[in-house]
mmCIF file of all heavy atoms in Angstrom:
data_model
loop_
_atom_site.group_PDB
_atom_site.id
_atom_site.type_symbol
_atom_site.label_atom_id
_atom_site.label_comp_id
_atom_site.label_asym_id
_atom_site.label_seq_id
_atom_site.Cartn_x
_atom_site.Cartn_y
_atom_site.Cartn_z
ATOM 1 N N THR A 495 0.865 -1.208 0.013
ATOM 2 C CA THR A 495 -0.010 -0.005 0.020
ATOM 3 C C THR A 495 0.864 1.211 -0.032
ATOM 4 O O THR A 495 2.093 1.111 0.098
ATOM 5 C CB THR A 495 -0.959 0.028 1.212
ATOM 6 O OG1 THR A 495 -0.152 0.110 2.425
ATOM 7 C CG2 THR A 495 -1.833 -1.222 1.281
ATOM 8 N N THR A 496 0.287 2.402 -0.054
ATOM 9 C CA THR A 496 1.052 3.636 -0.051
ATOM 10 C C THR A 496 0.673 4.553 1.055
ATOM 11 O O THR A 496 -0.486 4.788 1.348
ATOM 12 C CB THR A 496 0.767 4.391 -1.429
ATOM 13 O OG1 THR A 496 1.021 3.540 -2.540
ATOM 14 C CG2 THR A 496 1.642 5.689 -1.534
ATOM 15 N N ARG A 497 1.733 4.948 1.838
ATOM 16 C CA ARG A 497 1.532 5.832 2.974
ATOM 17 C C ARG A 497 1.107 7.245 2.448
ATOM 18 O O ARG A 497 1.364 7.584 1.311
ATOM 19 C CB ARG A 497 2.819 5.961 3.767
ATOM 20 C CG ARG A 497 3.248 4.625 4.374
ATOM 21 C CD ARG A 497 4.699 4.801 4.936
ATOM 22 N NE ARG A 497 5.252 3.514 5.098
ATOM 23 C CZ ARG A 497 5.838 3.093 6.203
ATOM 24 N NH1 ARG A 497 5.957 3.815 7.219
ATOM 25 N NH2 ARG A 497 6.425 1.893 6.256
ATOM 26 N N PRO A 498 0.521 8.086 3.309
ATOM 27 C CA PRO A 498 0.058 9.408 2.846
ATOM 28 C C PRO A 498 1.171 10.243 2.227
ATOM 29 O O PRO A 498 0.851 11.003 1.252
ATOM 30 C CB PRO A 498 -0.408 10.059 4.186
ATOM 31 C CG PRO A 498 -0.811 8.909 4.992
ATOM 32 C CD PRO A 498 0.143 7.816 4.714
ATOM 33 N N GLU A 499 2.440 10.127 2.649
ATOM 34 C CA GLU A 499 3.503 10.938 2.111
ATOM 35 C C GLU A 499 4.059 10.254 0.834
ATOM 36 O O GLU A 499 5.029 10.762 0.276
ATOM 37 C CB GLU A 499 4.578 11.226 3.137
ATOM 38 C CG GLU A 499 5.383 10.037 3.548
ATOM 39 C CD GLU A 499 4.760 9.144 4.595
ATOM 40 O OE1 GLU A 499 3.562 9.352 4.998
ATOM 41 O OE2 GLU A 499 5.361 8.144 5.011
ATOM 42 N N GLY A 500 3.518 9.084 0.426
ATOM 43 C CA GLY A 500 3.976 8.488 -0.810
ATOM 44 C C GLY A 500 4.982 7.285 -0.663
ATOM 45 O O GLY A 500 5.254 6.616 -1.642
ATOM 46 N N ARG A 501 5.410 7.062 0.573
ATOM 47 C CA ARG A 501 6.307 5.980 0.725
ATOM 48 C C ARG A 501 5.522 4.622 0.724
ATOM 49 O O ARG A 501 4.415 4.532 1.189
ATOM 50 C CB ARG A 501 7.053 6.090 2.092
ATOM 51 C CG ARG A 501 8.053 7.156 2.127
ATOM 52 C CD ARG A 501 8.898 7.242 3.390
ATOM 53 N NE ARG A 501 8.064 7.275 4.578
ATOM 54 C CZ ARG A 501 8.168 6.430 5.657
ATOM 55 N NH1 ARG A 501 9.101 5.536 5.669
ATOM 56 N NH2 ARG A 501 7.397 6.563 6.697
ATOM 57 N N PRO A 502 6.202 3.581 0.225
ATOM 58 C CA PRO A 502 5.546 2.287 0.167
ATOM 59 C C PRO A 502 5.426 1.644 1.557
ATOM 60 O O PRO A 502 6.262 1.925 2.429
ATOM 61 C CB PRO A 502 6.411 1.480 -0.753
ATOM 62 C CG PRO A 502 7.741 2.037 -0.625
ATOM 63 C CD PRO A 502 7.523 3.527 -0.374
ATOM 64 N N HIS A 503 4.499 0.763 1.712
ATOM 65 C CA HIS A 503 4.308 -0.043 2.921
ATOM 66 C C HIS A 503 3.976 -1.464 2.468
ATOM 67 O O HIS A 503 2.968 -1.645 1.806
ATOM 68 C CB HIS A 503 3.212 0.504 3.794
ATOM 69 C CG HIS A 503 2.845 -0.274 5.003
ATOM 70 N ND1 HIS A 503 1.891 -1.223 5.020
ATOM 71 C CD2 HIS A 503 3.417 -0.376 6.212
ATOM 72 C CE1 HIS A 503 1.818 -1.810 6.180
ATOM 73 N NE2 HIS A 503 2.750 -1.295 6.936
ATOM 74 N N THR A 504 4.822 -2.462 2.807
ATOM 75 C CA THR A 504 4.503 -3.848 2.445
ATOM 76 C C THR A 504 4.567 -4.688 3.678
ATOM 77 O O THR A 504 5.301 -4.453 4.673
ATOM 78 C CB THR A 504 5.565 -4.379 1.459
ATOM 79 O OG1 THR A 504 6.856 -4.242 2.007
ATOM 80 C CG2 THR A 504 5.506 -3.600 0.159
ATOM 81 N N ARG A 505 3.667 -5.695 3.704
ATOM 82 C CA ARG A 505 3.532 -6.601 4.851
ATOM 83 C C ARG A 505 3.020 -7.978 4.354
ATOM 84 O O ARG A 505 2.194 -7.982 3.463
ATOM 85 C CB ARG A 505 2.610 -6.054 5.928
ATOM 86 C CG ARG A 505 3.057 -4.883 6.640
ATOM 87 C CD ARG A 505 4.285 -5.225 7.557
ATOM 88 N NE ARG A 505 4.731 -4.085 8.286
ATOM 89 C CZ ARG A 505 5.610 -3.160 7.833
ATOM 90 N NH1 ARG A 505 6.095 -3.240 6.638
ATOM 91 N NH2 ARG A 505 5.971 -2.193 8.629
ATOM 92 N N PRO A 506 3.458 -9.061 5.030
ATOM 93 C CA PRO A 506 2.806 -10.315 4.750
ATOM 94 C C PRO A 506 1.496 -10.373 5.549
ATOM 95 O O PRO A 506 1.393 -9.831 6.612
ATOM 96 C CB PRO A 506 3.837 -11.331 5.302
ATOM 97 C CG PRO A 506 4.516 -10.641 6.409
ATOM 98 C CD PRO A 506 4.606 -9.126 5.908
ATOM 99 N N VAL A 507 0.470 -10.986 4.949
ATOM 100 C CA VAL A 507 -0.830 -11.163 5.590
ATOM 101 C C VAL A 507 -1.349 -12.548 5.310
ATOM 102 O O VAL A 507 -0.918 -13.180 4.295
ATOM 103 C CB VAL A 507 -1.876 -10.104 5.141
ATOM 104 C CG1 VAL A 507 -1.451 -8.746 5.563
ATOM 105 C CG2 VAL A 507 -2.130 -10.249 3.640
ATOM 106 N N TRP A 508 -2.279 -13.030 6.089
ATOM 107 C CA TRP A 508 -3.044 -14.214 5.773
ATOM 108 C C TRP A 508 -4.314 -13.703 5.083
ATOM 109 O O TRP A 508 -4.823 -12.565 5.327
ATOM 110 C CB TRP A 508 -3.433 -14.910 7.006
ATOM 111 C CG TRP A 508 -2.373 -15.749 7.642
ATOM 112 C CD1 TRP A 508 -1.093 -15.988 7.192
ATOM 113 C CD2 TRP A 508 -2.488 -16.484 8.853
ATOM 114 N NE1 TRP A 508 -0.432 -16.788 8.039
ATOM 115 C CE2 TRP A 508 -1.271 -17.101 9.101
ATOM 116 C CE3 TRP A 508 -3.495 -16.626 9.800
ATOM 117 C CZ2 TRP A 508 -0.983 -17.874 10.208
ATOM 118 C CZ3 TRP A 508 -3.268 -17.364 10.958
ATOM 119 C CH2 TRP A 508 -2.044 -18.016 11.146
ATOM 120 N N GLY A 509 -4.838 -14.539 4.210
ATOM 121 C CA GLY A 509 -6.057 -14.100 3.479
ATOM 122 C C GLY A 509 -6.609 -15.282 2.742
ATOM 123 O O GLY A 509 -6.106 -16.423 2.765
ATOM 124 N N VAL A 510 -7.762 -15.016 2.088
ATOM 125 C CA VAL A 510 -8.378 -16.032 1.303
ATOM 126 C C VAL A 510 -8.822 -15.470 -0.049
ATOM 127 O O VAL A 510 -9.251 -14.347 -0.145
ATOM 128 C CB VAL A 510 -9.643 -16.689 1.994
ATOM 129 C CG1 VAL A 510 -9.180 -17.459 3.236
ATOM 130 C CG2 VAL A 510 -10.680 -15.666 2.353
ATOM 131 N N TRP A 511 -8.670 -16.323 -1.094
ATOM 132 C CA TRP A 511 -9.208 -15.971 -2.407
ATOM 133 C C TRP A 511 -10.516 -16.578 -2.563
ATOM 134 O O TRP A 511 -10.661 -17.823 -2.527
ATOM 135 C CB TRP A 511 -8.188 -16.499 -3.518
ATOM 136 C CG TRP A 511 -8.590 -16.068 -4.872
ATOM 137 C CD1 TRP A 511 -9.267 -16.850 -5.753
ATOM 138 C CD2 TRP A 511 -8.443 -14.836 -5.512
ATOM 139 N NE1 TRP A 511 -9.504 -16.189 -6.894
ATOM 140 C CE2 TRP A 511 -8.981 -14.904 -6.791
ATOM 141 C CE3 TRP A 511 -7.791 -13.608 -5.162
ATOM 142 C CZ2 TRP A 511 -8.986 -13.868 -7.674
ATOM 143 C CZ3 TRP A 511 -7.764 -12.582 -6.031
ATOM 144 C CH2 TRP A 511 -8.378 -12.711 -7.278
ATOM 145 N N LEU A 512 -11.582 -15.782 -2.777
ATOM 146 C CA LEU A 512 -12.928 -16.217 -3.004
ATOM 147 C C LEU A 512 -13.399 -15.778 -4.389
ATOM 148 O O LEU A 512 -12.681 -15.139 -5.148
ATOM 149 C CB LEU A 512 -13.854 -15.694 -1.909
ATOM 150 C CG LEU A 512 -13.491 -16.131 -0.493
ATOM 151 C CD1 LEU A 512 -14.430 -15.467 0.515
ATOM 152 C CD2 LEU A 512 -13.593 -17.684 -0.359
ATOM 153 N N ALA A 513 -14.615 -16.188 -4.791
ATOM 154 C CA ALA A 513 -15.116 -15.893 -6.110
ATOM 155 C C ALA A 513 -15.116 -14.418 -6.435
ATOM 156 O O ALA A 513 -14.998 -14.018 -7.645
ATOM 157 C CB ALA A 513 -16.468 -16.487 -6.280
ATOM 158 N N ASP A 514 -15.217 -13.569 -5.401
ATOM 159 C CA ASP A 514 -15.262 -12.107 -5.653
ATOM 160 C C ASP A 514 -13.971 -11.341 -5.443
ATOM 161 O O ASP A 514 -13.892 -10.130 -5.568
ATOM 162 C CB ASP A 514 -16.384 -11.485 -4.833
ATOM 163 C CG ASP A 514 -16.276 -11.732 -3.356
ATOM 164 O OD1 ASP A 514 -15.435 -12.579 -2.930
ATOM 165 O OD2 ASP A 514 -17.007 -11.189 -2.499
ATOM 166 N N GLY A 515 -12.835 -12.065 -5.130
ATOM 167 C CA GLY A 515 -11.593 -11.449 -4.981
ATOM 168 C C GLY A 515 -10.802 -11.908 -3.723
ATOM 169 O O GLY A 515 -11.137 -12.931 -3.153
ATOM 170 N N PHE A 516 -9.785 -11.111 -3.379
ATOM 171 C CA PHE A 516 -8.947 -11.487 -2.227
ATOM 172 C C PHE A 516 -9.405 -10.745 -0.983
ATOM 173 O O PHE A 516 -9.583 -9.510 -0.895
ATOM 174 C CB PHE A 516 -7.505 -11.065 -2.567
ATOM 175 C CG PHE A 516 -6.559 -11.313 -1.430
ATOM 176 C CD1 PHE A 516 -6.234 -12.601 -1.023
ATOM 177 C CD2 PHE A 516 -5.960 -10.207 -0.743
ATOM 178 C CE1 PHE A 516 -5.390 -12.815 0.051
ATOM 179 C CE2 PHE A 516 -5.106 -10.443 0.287
ATOM 180 C CZ PHE A 516 -4.816 -11.787 0.681
ATOM 181 N N TRP A 517 -9.632 -11.511 0.087
ATOM 182 C CA TRP A 517 -10.089 -11.024 1.350
ATOM 183 C C TRP A 517 -8.939 -11.148 2.365
ATOM 184 O O TRP A 517 -8.326 -12.172 2.501
ATOM 185 C CB TRP A 517 -11.265 -11.865 1.881
ATOM 186 C CG TRP A 517 -12.524 -11.651 1.164
ATOM 187 C CD1 TRP A 517 -12.944 -12.212 -0.050
ATOM 188 C CD2 TRP A 517 -13.666 -10.870 1.560
ATOM 189 N NE1 TRP A 517 -14.146 -11.806 -0.399
ATOM 190 C CE2 TRP A 517 -14.637 -10.983 0.577
ATOM 191 C CE3 TRP A 517 -13.860 -10.107 2.641
ATOM 192 C CZ2 TRP A 517 -15.836 -10.344 0.641
ATOM 193 C CZ3 TRP A 517 -15.074 -9.420 2.772
ATOM 194 C CH2 TRP A 517 -16.044 -9.565 1.772
ATOM 195 N N PHE A 518 -8.764 -10.093 3.228
ATOM 196 C CA PHE A 518 -7.780 -10.185 4.279
ATOM 197 C C PHE A 518 -8.135 -9.176 5.340
ATOM 198 O O PHE A 518 -8.997 -8.305 5.203
ATOM 199 C CB PHE A 518 -6.357 -9.916 3.787
ATOM 200 C CG PHE A 518 -6.114 -8.485 3.387
ATOM 201 C CD1 PHE A 518 -5.401 -7.635 4.245
ATOM 202 C CD2 PHE A 518 -6.570 -7.916 2.190
ATOM 203 C CE1 PHE A 518 -5.204 -6.282 3.914
ATOM 204 C CE2 PHE A 518 -6.336 -6.613 1.833
ATOM 205 C CZ PHE A 518 -5.616 -5.791 2.712
ATOM 206 N N SER A 519 -7.426 -9.325 6.502
ATOM 207 C CA SER A 519 -7.533 -8.301 7.547
ATOM 208 C C SER A 519 -6.140 -8.058 8.108
ATOM 209 O O SER A 519 -5.221 -8.933 7.979
ATOM 210 C CB SER A 519 -8.439 -8.877 8.727
ATOM 211 O OG SER A 519 -8.488 -7.937 9.753
ATOM 212 N N THR A 520 -5.862 -6.857 8.554
ATOM 213 C CA THR A 520 -4.529 -6.546 9.055
ATOM 214 C C THR A 520 -4.639 -5.471 10.134
ATOM 215 O O THR A 520 -5.507 -4.644 10.111
ATOM 216 C CB THR A 520 -3.649 -6.048 7.908
ATOM 217 O OG1 THR A 520 -2.317 -5.832 8.369
ATOM 218 C CG2 THR A 520 -4.171 -4.772 7.233
ATOM 219 N N GLY A 521 -3.668 -5.541 11.027
ATOM 220 C CA GLY A 521 -3.479 -4.478 12.024
ATOM 221 C C GLY A 521 -2.354 -3.574 11.650
ATOM 222 O O GLY A 521 -2.037 -2.644 12.393
ATOM 223 N N SER A 522 -1.737 -3.759 10.453
ATOM 224 C CA SER A 522 -0.579 -2.965 10.104
ATOM 225 C C SER A 522 -0.984 -1.545 9.589
ATOM 226 O O SER A 522 -2.186 -1.235 9.575
ATOM 227 C CB SER A 522 0.203 -3.674 8.945
ATOM 228 O OG SER A 522 -0.469 -3.574 7.716
#
């Protein structure tokens, strides 16, 4: 994702791929 000042933010997450797309939750 992109922080407000434009710097990137990357993190590993758990998630699931369903018929409508990729679902996840994060506290990052």
